Amino acid sequence: MIRTFIALPLSDTVKQALEETILSLRRRIDARWVRRDAMHLTLKFLGDIQEDLVPALGQGLDAICAVCPEMDFSLDALGAFPGHKRARVIWVSLNGAVKELASLAAQVDRLCGRYGIQPETRAFRAHITLGRLKTPTMVELEAMIPGRQFNVAEARLYRSELLREGPRYTILHVSRLGG
């Protein structure tokens, strides 16, 4: 079994902007912050799957992405799950092709369901995770987000290994948007 997820990669300029935001938050909030090399835009967390499912999931992802055009986004505002009063996760929201992204996430969810992977029960919310808090904490999220615009041209199936120094992600498959 391997732990997996499907996500969209982020450009280096976006990662740099997010790192700057994390630096300003780090002074005030004690959290496990996402490392630059681990930043991404999650479409679906699959959890543990049989490794022999990777080729079929890759082919299905290719078919979905072939008819989905590249997407343009910009970084928007900071938020927290489940909310600011008892935050567990700090994230940044997106502007741009968020409806198209939600549609892509729904298609990926249906694809995964064909292979026995549990469907998502929560509504999709386009976001990039910046950090996780150890205990629910009230947070003030008044950091400036550089309004970086970026394009996404591919989706990736990743393996996630949880290590003491943080997760290590390995790309298992890449699917181009728009064929």
Side-chain angles (χ1 to χ4, degrees), residues 71-102:
M71 294 182 232
D72 294 314
F73 300 100
S74 61
L75 301 177
D76 186 29
L78 289 170
F81 291 134
H84 293 278
K85 291 184 179 179
R86 293 187 49 80
R88 295 286 298 191
V89 176
I90 297 173
W91 47 268
V92 64
S93 62
L94 302 172
N95 281 323
V98 292
K99 288 182 183 176
E100 294 83 353
L101 182 63

Side-chain angles (χ1 to χ4, degrees), residues 8-94:
L8 306 178
L10 301 173
S11 69
D12 286 338
T13 58
V14 169
K15 290 179 181 181
Q16 180 181 345
L18 296 173
E19 274 186 321
E20 292 168 12
T21 301
I22 287 171
L23 280 175
S24 70
L25 293 171
R26 182 173 270 155
R27 296 181 193 111
R28 297 178 285 129
I29 301 170
D30 182 29
R32 285 178 288 129
W33 299 103
V34 176
R35 295 184 330 264
R36 181 186 184 115
D37 65 331
M39 293 177 178
H40 59 272
L41 175 52
T42 304
L43 288 173
K44 176 149 182 78
F45 177 73
L46 283 63
D48 291 328
I49 64 167
Q50 294 292 334
E51 195 163 355
D52 61 3
L53 277 182
V54 170
L57 287 169
Q59 287 180 338
L61 191 58
D62 286 345
I64 291 168
C65 289
V67 296
C68 180
E70 293 183 14
M71 294 182 232
D72 294 314
F73 300 100
S74 61
L75 301 177
D76 186 29
L78 289 170
F81 291 134
H84 293 278
K85 291 184 179 179
R86 293 187 49 80
R88 295 286 298 191
V89 176
I90 297 173
W91 47 268
V92 64
S93 62
L94 302 172

